[in-house]
Amino acid sequence: MRVTFWGTRGSVPVPGGATARYGGNTPCVTVEQGRGLLVLDAGTGIRRLGEALRARSREAPIDLVLSHVHWDHIQGLPFFGPVHDPAMRVRVFGPAPEVMTLRETLLGQMSPPVSVPAYAEAAERMEVTEITADQFETGNFSIRTVPLRHHGRTLGFAVSPLGGGPTVNYLTDNELGEWTGAPEWQAGLVTFLRGGEVLIHDATWNNAEAAGRSGWGHSSASQAVDLAVASGVRRLILFHHAPEHGDDDVDQLLAEARRRVTATGVKLLVDAAAEGSSLDL
């Protein structure tokens, strides 16, 4: 199974020399097993994924699973090439937003006055399904869901190939700080993650930043390490890099996280998500 990062940045795209190594595009990750493909989130990184898929001449449906509908997780969808190709079938899954339906939300961003009529026509072809169960299947994957602590309805996912295989946990935009009820909620999260091979988790802040931003809906690299250690996953990928953090800042967060792992004495591999990189399981 292969995990590929097409976008790793949170909040807003930040292209430029300072973000060249870890990337400036907003969240988009793919999980592939054989001919099976699952797309996680539709940030600006999904545009390059669309170009790659068109080059492969893919005929099977493209399944896109959204963690939530905040702008940085859907802003690439209007520029995702397969949406505009009548020969390609795009199926979108995600939690229902708080104000309108998921379909209304996605069509709205691709319709006038914020977009052009041709994009609205393309969006109409998308198959949109609101996630209402704690487990569902796409054509090739079984997906378990868990509510995350972030403003708006936000889900985390445990993705496994149908028929068995390693589990990839994707928990972006998730606060592990001291909100009300945190101990009980975090215990449930640990149970959800147990047995997973990889945890891709929000690591937006350093420790000092996290201390002053309670309630913002994001975590520090150290908090992500603590969750990974408690859950017994084998590998942690720091994700959703802050837009104000350049590559050197992410390097420091990664070093901080690795020092924390060393202090625990457990065997846990930690890396920072880098745009264009892949992980084979």
Side-chain angles (χ1 to χ4, degrees), residues 5 8 22 199-204 220-222 224-225 236-241 250 253-258 270-274:
F5 296 93
T8 63
Y22 291 106
L199 170 59
I200 302 167
H201 197 280
D202 185 319
T204 302
S220 70
S222 293
V225 167
L236 170 67
I237 308 295
L238 308 178
F239 191 68
H240 202 274
H241 310 313
V250 177
L253 284 177
L254 179 57
E256 176 184 295
R258 287 173 172 170
V270 184
D271 289 298

Side-chain angles (χ1 to χ4, degrees), residues 50-82:
E51 294 173 349
L53 291 177
R54 290 171 77 90
R56 297 183 199 175
S57 300
R58 182 179 177 83
E59 296 180 359
I62 297 171
D63 291 324
L64 166 61
V65 178
L66 301 174
S67 61
H68 61 311
V69 296
H70 281 176
W71 184 234
D72 51 332
H73 293 258
I74 64 171
Q75 65 192 134
L77 188 58
F79 310 100
F80 185 42

Side-chain angles (χ1 to χ4, degrees), residues 25 44 79 102 160 195 207 226 266:
N25 280 299
T44 55
F79 310 100
L102 180 60
S160 303
N207 292 333
D226 292 346
V266 303

Side-chain angles (χ1 to χ4, degrees), residues 43-131:
T44 55
I46 203 172
R47 186 187 66 83
R48 289 183 57 234
L49 168 62
E51 294 173 349
L53 291 177
R54 290 171 77 90
R56 297 183 199 175
S57 300
R58 182 179 177 83
E59 296 180 359
I62 297 171
D63 291 324
L64 166 61
V65 178
L66 301 174
S67 61
H68 61 311
V69 296
H70 281 176
W71 184 234
D72 51 332
H73 293 258
I74 64 171
Q75 65 192 134
L77 188 58
F79 310 100
F80 185 42
V83 170
H84 301 275
D85 186 346
M88 302 188 81
R89 184 180 175 194
V90 178
R91 304 188 296 195
V92 184
F93 304 82
E98 295 171 306
V99 178
M100 60 184 70
T101 68
L102 180 60
R103 183 173 184 82
E104 289 170 338
T105 302
L106 299 181
L107 291 181
Q109 71 160 345
M110 295 181 68
S111 302
V114 297
S115 190
V116 297
Y119 278 30
E121 294 172 7
E124 287 284 354
R125 291 193 294 270
M126 295 189 303
E127 301 174 30
V128 181
T129 301
E130 292 184 351
I131 300 170

